[in-house]
């Protein structure tokens, strides 16, 4: 999940001091600014940072991410394919470097996901609308103890109930180092520093549907935001089949991540499963 609290703290008057600080410290870490929290310890320090509302990150029993053990997941007959209703021609995407997350803000409110009714439907609320999507390097979830190169989080919210759902897509390096043409619609416009915001040009249109694998198999479990305040009851839908991208594209994400705390990684460490089960839908 993305750095909403960072965004808020910036709105709360930190922008000017940050810009002043950037003038004096425009050194090796591009646009470095003190973040409310960072990933240098994988998140284990978050509950102890003064003034950060992150106690749940330490005490919660339904936290994310997880190490998913595919051989230990439950096939649920109530699960159906996700119904992704996303725009096929998005232009003027705002690409921001949130300190150590590359985030894209979607202006159209038309993008939404329908989950299997046993998880969430119009009887639960008004619908799960895409707010933004962002990247983590390496992946936050592990699979049999293995990371993927990156993980995309498509963050949805029901404006009436406040319910959040994250649809996750994994990225692995292409064996022939081929660039992912859909990521190229916006990755080249990633700002190299924390305060930067750039807009992808109007002639660079993205078919959002292409950012999801054609195979509909996914894992489902009930978890949390992976950044403070680590709010629980976030619905997680993780596509099983990864998309591919190139080393150069991974580097763009890693360099942007390093703009915040100097580290290329921005994944929270995996959390305990506790009494939860991970369900599987096979498409
Ligand atoms: C998916 O949602 C769209 C509109 O949101 C609807 O028209 C379509 O019938 C749904 N498809 C399935 C398979 O439920
Ligand atoms: C997509 O958007 C571009 C730029 O706005 C436009 O030129 C093009 O005709 C659109 N394509 C479709 C299929 O709507
Ligand atoms: C994108 O950025 C532009 C320029 O900063 C701004 O006018 C616009 O409102 C932003 N769009 C969204 C969806 O945030
Ligand atoms: C959003 O949906 C409305 C109604 O279905 C449609 O008129 C409009 O063109 C859509 N906008 C985009 C950007 O897809
Ligand atoms: C949505 O409603 C169904 C049916 O009542 C229920 O089983 C499910 O737990 C609800 N989902 C959430 C996230 O509250
Ligand atoms: C920060 O990024 C923005 C957008 O890419 C750029 O315009 C600006 O020059 C950058 N600032 C620094 C200090 O690198
Ligand atoms: C988009 O516009 C820019 C500058 O106007 C141009 O350099 C680029 O070639 C255009 N791209 C496409 C796909 O038309
Ligand atoms: C968008 O991508 C989907 C899936 O790859 C494809 O079926 C659809 O035709 C594309 N739409 C446009 C307008 O490019
Ligand atoms: C979809 O992916 C799953 C998991 O990798 C695999 O078991 C299944 O065979 C795939 N389905 C198709 C139609 O390729
Ligand atoms: C702190 O986080 C908890 C759990 O996410 C939330 O319920 C509460 O509203 C937050 N408090 C403040 C002051 O932001
Ligand atoms: C990371 O966060 C911790 C806790 O707030 C702080 O002590 C440390 O200086 C930060 N590191 C970087 C590189 O920003
Ligand atoms: C496997 O699943 C069971 C039942 O959900 C759970 O109790 C156990 O902890 C899981 N084992 C591992 C290694 O995750
Ligand atoms: Zn995320």
């Amino acid at each position: 999940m993305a750095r909403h609290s960072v965004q808020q703290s910036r709105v709360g008057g930190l922008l000017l001091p940050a810009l002043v600080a950037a003038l004096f410290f425009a050194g090796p870490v591009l646009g470095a600014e003190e973040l409310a929290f960072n990933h240098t310890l994988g998140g284990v320090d978050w509950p102890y940072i003064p003034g950060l509302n992150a106690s749940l990150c330490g005490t919660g029993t339904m936290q994310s991410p997880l190490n998913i053990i595919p051989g230990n997941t439950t096939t649920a007959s109530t699960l159906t394919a996700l119904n992704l209703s996303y725009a096929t021609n998005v232009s003027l995407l705002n690409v921001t470097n949130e300190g150590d997350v590359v985030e894209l803000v979607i202006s159209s409110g038309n993008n939404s996901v329908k989950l299997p009714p046993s998880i969430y439907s119009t009887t639960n609320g008004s619908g799960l609308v895409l707010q933004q999507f962002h990247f983590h390097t390496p992946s936050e979830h592990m699979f049999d103890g293995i990371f993927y190169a990156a993980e995309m989080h498509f963050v949805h919210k029901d404006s009436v109930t406040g319910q959040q759902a994250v649809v996750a897509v994994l990225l692995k390096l292409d064996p022939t180092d081929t660039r992912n043409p859909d990521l190229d619609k916006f990755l080249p416009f990633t700002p190299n520093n924390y305060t930067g915001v750039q807009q992808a040009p109007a002639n660079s249109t993205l078919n959002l549907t292409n950012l999801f694998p054609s195979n509909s198999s996914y894992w489902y479990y009930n978890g949390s935001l992976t950044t403070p305040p680590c709010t629980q009851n976030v619905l997680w839908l993780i596509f099983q089949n990864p998309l591919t991208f190139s080393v150069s594209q991974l580097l763009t994400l890693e360099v942007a991540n390093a703009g915040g705390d100097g580290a290329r990684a921005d994944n929270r460490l995996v959390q305990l499963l506790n009494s939860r089960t991970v369900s599987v839908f096979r498409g």
Side-chain angles (χ1 to χ4, degrees):
M1 281 290 307
R3 328 281 315 248
H4 295 297
S5 58
V6 173
Q7 192 90 39
Q8 283 153 14
S9 67
R10 237 192 300 160
V11 172
L14 283 177
L15 185 55
L16 188 58
L19 287 175
V20 172
L23 286 177
F24 287 98
F25 298 109
V29 178
L30 291 167
E33 169 181 333
E34 197 180 322
L35 303 170
F37 59 89
N38 59 52
H39 285 86
T40 52
L41 294 178
V44 295
D45 56 329
W46 295 341
Y48 312 105
I49 296 175
L52 191 66
N53 181 19
S55 60
L56 200 52
C57 306
T59 59
T61 56
M62 299 172 65
Q63 291 287 297
S64 295
L66 293 178
N67 174 33
I68 291 176
I69 299 170
N72 197 23
T73 55
T74 307
T75 305
S77 58
T78 52
L79 296 187
T80 51
L82 307 182
N83 185 344
L84 306 166
S85 307
Y86 290 153
T88 56
N89 198 355
V90 181
S91 61
L92 300 171
L93 273 172
N94 280 359
V95 191
T96 65
N97 181 343
E98 293 287 312
D100 53 8
V101 172
V102 173
E103 181 169 301
L104 289 92
V105 178
I106 311 288
S107 54
S108 165
N110 287 39
N111 304 292
S112 65
V113 64
K114 288 201 183 78
L115 305 184
S118 61
I119 303 178
Y120 202 81
S121 71
T122 46
T123 63
N124 302 84
S126 65
L128 296 162
V129 176
L130 182 64
Q131 313 287 306
Q132 42 95 347
F133 64 99
H134 62 266
F135 295 79
H136 295 268
T137 58
S139 66
E140 293 214 291
H141 289 88
M142 297 178 89
F143 304 89
D144 274 337
I146 308 287
F147 290 112
Y148 279 89
E151 182 172 332
M152 289 192 279
H153 287 164
F154 295 84
V155 181
H156 301 77
K157 190 170 185 175
D158 189 315
S159 60
V160 172
T161 64
Q163 177 70 52
Q164 287 183 276
V166 182
V167 178
V169 176
L170 301 157
L171 290 166
K172 71 170 186 184
L173 291 173
D174 184 80
T176 58
D177 205 29
T178 304
R179 297 184 73 88
N180 181 312
D182 298 293
L183 297 183
D184 269 348
K185 303 286 185 172
F186 53 85
L187 268 191
F189 311 107
T190 303
N192 61 7
N193 60 66
Y194 180 34
T195 52
V197 179
Q198 271 185 184
Q199 205 160 46
N203 65 357
S204 179
T205 59
L206 170 67
N207 182 347
L208 271 175
T209 316
N210 286 338
L211 297 182
F212 300 86
S214 53
N215 183 312
S216 59
S217 300
Y218 65 87
W219 290 290
Y220 160 68
Y221 76 95
N222 197 330
S224 75
L225 304 184
T226 65
T227 52
C230 302
T231 311
Q232 301 195 130
N233 194 29
V234 173
L235 309 172
W236 280 90
L237 299 306
I238 304 165
F239 277 102
Q240 287 178 24
N241 291 273
L243 300 182
T244 59
F245 68 154
S246 73
V247 169
S248 167
Q249 290 179 311
L250 173 60
L251 274 170
T252 297
L253 292 170
E254 290 181 329
V255 168
N257 288 348
D261 57 17
R264 66 170 193 249
D266 65 346
N267 62 308
R268 185 190 189 194
L269 298 182
V270 292
Q271 305 293 305
L272 292 173
L273 179 64
N274 294 319
S275 59
R276 291 173 290 175
T277 51
V278 178
S279 306
V280 59
F281 171 76
R282 289 197 179 83

